Structures are given as C-alpha cells and as structure tokens.
Amino acid sequence: MDQFRSLLFTPASRPDRFESALASGADAVCLDLEDAVAPPDKASARTTALDYLATRPPSAVKVGLRLNGRASGWFDDDLKAAAGARADFFMIPKAAGAREFAMLQRAIGEARPFWPLVETAEGLMNCWEIAAAPAVAGVLFGAFDFSAEVGCDMSWEPLLFARSQIAAACARAGVQALDAPPAAIGEPEVLTAETDRARRLGFTGRACIHPAQAAPINTAYTPSAAEVAKAQAVIAAFDAAAGGPALLDGKLIELPVARAARRILERARGLDG
C-alpha cells in the first residue's frame, strides 16, 4: 500500500496549479471539489478535474479526488463522476460510519482506496469502525470542521483527545492516519513543531494546503539515518537475546521496544521502495 507522508490539497477549479502540485514533492495530490471550490463553480470544477484525470501524464505521485459531502446538493453528481474518474483514491468528507463505504464501493464499481475525513463528533464516535471499513486506506483528521462543530479551540490541547482516538483507531485497523493541514502558511517553525507532535502521537503523515509545506512534512515523516541505525541495533540486540530482554547502551530492550524499531525499519523500506 502506498505510504503518504504528505498530501497536498489543490482546488479542482484551478487547473493552472495542478502541475505545480505534482512537482511539489508531496507523495499525493488531492483535487478538491469541496471546501476549496465556491458553490457556483462546483459543476465546472468537477468537469475540469475529470478532464485532467483522464489525460494526465504518468506520475509517481498519486492523484485523488475529494468529493462533496453526502448531505450536500453536489454529492450525487460527484459520485456518478467518480465511477468513471481515473483517480487513484477518493476522499470522503464528514464520514459518519462504516456502512457508507460498502455503498461507495458498489457505486464506483471497482476497488480503489477511500480516505474518509473524520471531522464531526459522530465521525469521531465511529472512527474505530470507519478506519476498519472496506477499502479504507487511511483516515484524515478534519480539525477545522471538528473544532467548529464541537466549539473547541484549534490549539493542540483541545484536539488531543480526537487526534489520539484517530491514531489509535488507524493503528488497530492497520491503515494510515493523516493529520489536518496547517492553519497558516509561512510559519515553518510552527509547521515543524506541530508535525513532529502528531508524528510522536502515532500519525503517519499530514495534509497540506501549500506546495512549500510538503518538504518539511516529508522530512518529519522520513526516518533519519540515525533512527534507522538505532532501530537496526535494537533488532540485532533483541534477536541475539532470542526474543528475551536485552540491554543496549544501558537501556532495556523488550518486545514493545523491538516492535517500535521494526515499524521504523518498515517505514524506511516502504519509502525506499
């Protein structure tokens, strides 16, 4: 399965930005029919996105399509269009439960990954089922909509519970967890600090809204040479102890530590591949 360290949202109504988005270094690009497009432009943006997807040149960057929400007046037309779209994945806003993804699979007619956005209180309540639903490759935390519905602040502490739930649900289901995009552009220190906090919480990547944000996010989610070397040493020490406790640099190495080291190596191998 493709690993997305960074996913760049691009308005589907702005074809002049599509190629620069692909060249940004982001692992995935999502053409956005929802929040980034004004209501009068929805139909033309859908046509623009479909035309681009039908003719786009081959690229290592995965390109997806974010539909409008099911409660909107544009969802039915978006879903019909998605059935014939050459998109690598589909983003589904305001996911409420697991059942809708079986319906979406039937409507689209072929197996392509879904990325639900958990951005409501109901979605958070059901995030364990959503993460484990058929064809779900990962979950994106919609912090902006979630905070608006709950009435909480957008700072780290008020959203910690929601992030922790989503990270744990995705880990249990074995799928990716992407954090919400940064609220501001042009604050590299804040971007790096926030991204690192989410990574340490268990997130596997982050969305972004500007091409310049992709590289710092990729760096945060790419194991460094030192991290890989340390993980290799941990595994070697654990294996030498035949699965029992071991000491490495004065620290106890047990099964949970070895599992964490293996995750680092698996992530590094996945990015190399």
Side-chain angles (χ1 to χ4, degrees):
M1 184 182 294
D2 298 301
Q3 294 188 54
F4 296 165
R5 298 166 298 176
S6 55
L7 181 146
L8 174 61
F9 282 109
T10 302
S13 56
R14 294 295 303 271
D16 56 308
R17 297 183 183 179
F18 292 173
E19 291 305 316
S20 60
L22 287 176
S24 67
D27 292 335
V29 169
C30 188
L31 307 182
D32 188 5
L33 296 173
E34 194 205 18
D35 289 345
V37 178
D41 300 327
K42 296 285 189 182
S44 61
R46 186 188 307 116
T47 299
T48 297
L50 292 177
D51 289 346
Y52 176 75
L53 290 169
T55 59
R56 67 186 171 102
S59 170
V61 180
K62 299 297 180 181
V63 181
L65 188 66
R66 174 156 76 166
L67 311 187
N68 285 284
R70 291 185 65 185
S72 75
W74 305 285
F75 177 77
D76 289 342
D77 288 336
D78 285 354
L79 189 59
K80 290 175 186 175
R86 285 185 53 208
D88 294 315
F89 60 92
F90 297 102
M91 284 216 153
I92 310 299
K94 296 179 175 60
R99 275 190 213 171
E100 60 191 283
F101 294 96
M103 178 276 290
L104 290 169
Q105 257 191 323
R106 290 193 299 270
I108 289 176
E110 60 178 293
R112 276 178 286 177
F114 292 117
W115 279 82
L117 281 91
V118 169
E119 49 190 346
T120 64
E122 183 180 12
L124 184 64
M125 180 178 70
N126 296 323
C127 69
W128 296 83
E129 297 174 3
I130 291 170
V136 167
V139 173
L140 172 61
F141 178 39
F144 299 95
D145 284 273
F146 182 84
S147 64
E149 176 169 310
V150 173
C152 69
D153 191 77
M154 275 286 293
S155 56
W156 181 261
E157 288 78 7
L159 295 174
L160 179 58
F161 174 76
R163 282 190 168 98
S164 299
Q165 285 284 308
I166 292 169
C170 289
R172 174 178 175 268
V175 299
Q176 299 176 68
L178 292 191
D179 195 18
I185 298 170
E187 297 181 351
E189 293 182 359
V190 174
L191 170 65
T192 298
E194 287 181 348
T195 304
D196 185 63
R197 290 177 96 176
R199 179 189 63 79
R200 288 187 283 120
L201 196 63
F203 279 80
T204 59
R206 189 175 191 184
C208 49
I209 54 175
H210 190 279
Q213 295 169 337
I217 291 173
N218 285 347
T219 298
Y221 281 102
T222 301
S224 66
E227 288 173 324
V228 170
K230 182 177 179 180
Q232 289 171 334
V234 166
I235 297 303
F238 186 73
D239 289 346
L247 279 177
L248 178 66
D249 299 330
K251 294 183 179 179
L252 184 64
I253 305 297
E254 294 183 301
L255 181 59
V257 179
R259 288 181 62 190
R262 291 190 197 281
R263 281 199 298 271
I264 291 172
L265 297 181
E266 287 168 3
R267 191 162 73 246
R269 282 194 295 269
L271 295 173
D272 288 340

